[in-house]
Amino acid sequence: MDREPHDLLDALQRDPYPHYDRARRAKGLMYVPELDAWLVARDTDVREVLRRPGDFSSANSLRPDVLPSPGALAVLGGGFGGRPVVVTTDGTRHQQLRAPLVRGLSPARVAAVLPYAAERAAALVDSFADDGGVELMSAYAQRLPGDVIGRIVGLDPVDVPAVVHGGHRAEELLFRPLEESEQIAAAEDVVAMQHILDRYIRVRHAQPRQDLATDLVASVTQGELTLEQRHEAVAHLQNLLIAGHLTTTALIGTTVLHLLRHRAQWELLCAEPDRIPAAVEEAARYDSALQGFYRVTTGPVTLAGTELPAGVTVFVAFAGANRDPARHPRPDEFDITRAPERHLAFGLGVHGCPGAQLAREQLRLTLEELIRRLPGLGLAVDQPVTMRPTMIHRSPYRLHLTW
């Protein structure tokens, strides 16, 4: 019996690396029906696409894998957002939207939030350190990044759980096949998050503060706050928050998973904590939290010898480039002792992730806490790990640990 299209996509998303390998070995580019896109997986080709934003537009970078049902779309119609954001724009508009993010996530801003991040990391580990076991994703990895980006944005801690939950539900709604009733429930959670963000937009417009929410409001408003500007600001803020916590959640989960699967690497890290920065980079390279983005050609182009007409979709696989043997020797080995080589886990060029340093620092703090306090950490043998099936954020669904 033929497999359903969503089953084929699900299998690809749960383990995309064999597809990347075939794409790198192919002559020219390889078309992948499950993605309805040409797959770009060589390091040199990925870098070329990212350096040519005029030829490869980001307009479809968040193209959904699933179109929400009419009922879910009706619910979403009662929310805010739905406007272009920094990852889906090009040229001048992209620069305008990106500027407040670069300022808000500057090295100085990141340094200023690190004491709070360290405090939250320690408190979260405190909450389960004496239990002998934990499901790390729900108890820690899905909580620390939301708390930290919420702090930078200026959210009241009481609102952070609903905003984080709304972000996860937005990803599910657009990238996972759900039953009609579940789609509607997910849409309701997304709209609830959007109304929270709209409240912040209106309050910060009336009473500015020294936070990123205020900066984002200022970047889209001039004088009176219109309804259209509220939609723009909510879309921008929602995108920032989702990127700020989902990517880091995934990075924490996959890093701990692979360190514990490669026991010698974990024990080396416990014995030599100075290797943590190298472990952060190797984990980001080996199983990139952000697998890649879609791009669309703006005119006829040739890439890797393949001629593409205008309007063609390519999937630019950062994770595929990060396993390219032409750039990374022994690419399929997880090795925190390898000599550093620039990877593409956080993108490159004008669309490079402005929050990369913040993500790295949270992972660093996490590893420092875990190796110091729980060196006997291990994977629960009776709880197999299943990866979340999306091409946007690669992460364990759940990560059961024992000590």
Side-chain angles (χ1 to χ4, degrees):
M1 181 181 294
D2 290 340
R3 298 173 69 183
E4 293 293 326
H6 280 308
D7 292 336
L8 295 170
L9 179 61
D10 187 271
L12 183 155
Q13 291 171 330
R14 290 189 189 278
D15 186 10
Y17 290 100
H19 289 76
Y20 299 153
D21 185 58
R22 286 195 293 274
R24 286 192 302 266
R25 295 173 185 270
K27 182 178 181 180
L29 300 182
M30 183 178 80
Y31 183 77
V32 180
E34 296 94 324
L35 297 176
D36 189 22
W38 294 87
L39 180 55
V40 184
R42 300 182 192 91
D43 179 87
T44 55
D45 297 336
V46 169
R47 291 174 188 271
E48 181 174 352
V49 171
L50 296 179
R51 287 173 175 142
R52 295 170 61 184
D55 294 325
F56 297 92
S57 169
S58 297
N60 70 338
S61 63
L62 295 179
R63 188 191 73 180
D65 291 329
V66 179
L67 183 65
S69 67
L73 289 172
V75 172
L76 293 174
F80 288 85
R83 304 301 191 270
V85 295
V86 66
V87 296
T88 63
T89 51
D90 302 301
T92 301
R93 184 57 178 152
H94 171 258
Q95 294 172 7
Q96 292 170 342
L97 291 172
R98 183 179 171 87
L101 302 184
V102 172
R103 292 193 300 269
L105 298 170
S106 68
R109 287 278 187 99
V110 171
V113 83
L114 285 185
Y116 171 78
E119 175 187 312
R120 290 301 301 139
L124 289 170
V125 175
D126 281 342
S127 70
F128 57 76
D130 295 331
D131 295 344
V134 69
E135 196 291 288
L136 191 73
M137 301 309 295
S138 59
Y140 184 95
Q142 293 173 0
R143 297 180 64 183
L144 177 67
D147 290 343
V148 172
I149 193 65
R151 178 83 164 203
I152 291 174
V153 167
L155 300 184
D156 187 317
V158 73
D159 289 324
V160 168
V163 170
V164 169
H165 179 68
H168 283 284
R169 297 292 268 167
E171 184 178 48
E172 289 180 339
L173 186 61
L174 296 177
F175 297 103
R176 296 299 304 143
L178 302 173
E179 296 294 333
E180 169 87 9
S181 59
E182 187 62 18
Q183 286 192 38
I184 291 173
E188 289 171 344
D189 291 339
V190 172
V191 169
M193 169 189 63
Q194 291 171 345
H195 280 281
I196 291 172
L197 299 183
D198 178 58
R199 170 164 51 85
Y200 278 92
I201 297 304
R202 289 182 283 112
V203 170
R204 290 300 188 271
H205 181 261
Q207 300 173 320
R209 295 186 184 178
Q210 294 294 319
D211 58 30
L212 188 46
T214 301
D215 294 344
L216 293 182
V217 172
S219 73
V220 300
T221 61
Q222 291 182 350
E224 184 178 353
L225 181 65
T226 67
L227 179 59
E228 174 60 24
Q229 289 169 339
R230 286 164 62 191
H231 278 286
E232 291 181 13
V234 168
H236 199 19
L237 189 53
Q238 176 180 315
N239 178 72
L240 164 66
L241 287 162
I242 290 176
H245 68 77
L246 283 179
T247 305
T248 307
T249 290
L251 183 60
I252 290 172
T254 54
T255 299
V256 174
L257 170 65
H258 293 303
L259 281 168
L260 296 180
R261 275 183 172 168
H262 300 80
R263 191 70 200 177
Q265 304 278 300
W266 171 256
E267 292 175 355
L268 175 62
L269 198 63
C270 290
E272 301 179 20
D274 289 348
R275 293 186 182 273
I276 286 177
V280 168
E281 297 308 315
E282 175 66 351
R285 179 205 68 82
Y286 178 76
D287 200 3
S288 304
L290 181 61
Q291 289 281 295
F293 277 130
Y294 289 104
R295 295 287 189 266
V296 61
T297 56
T298 60
V301 297
T302 300
L303 181 66
T306 300
E307 296 181 0
L308 303 174
V312 166
T313 296
V314 298
F315 184 78
V316 188
F318 304 161
N322 288 340
R323 294 281 190 100
D324 188 342
R327 166 74 66 161
H328 305 281
R330 302 173 290 106
D332 295 324
E333 292 183 25
F334 180 72
D335 181 7
I336 66 172
T337 70
R338 73 168 64 239
E341 180 66 63
R342 292 190 65 182
H343 56 71
L344 293 171
F346 297 104
L348 178 75
V350 296
H351 278 277
C353 176
Q357 190 58 31
L358 181 63
R360 287 180 166 105
E361 293 290 358
Q362 290 179 80
L363 181 53
R364 175 185 63 79
L365 291 170
T366 297
L367 294 179
E368 287 176 353
E369 280 291 315
L370 294 180
I371 67 172
R372 180 175 63 86
R373 302 179 62 183
L374 299 171
L377 208 58
L379 297 173
V381 296
D382 59 341
Q383 297 283 350
V385 177
T386 301
M387 303 304 286
R388 294 178 64 88
T390 81
M391 295 302 284
I392 300 298
H393 293 111
R394 180 167 167 81
S395 169
Y397 260 126
R398 288 168 289 277
L399 191 59
H400 292 274
L401 309 178
T402 60
W403 54 90

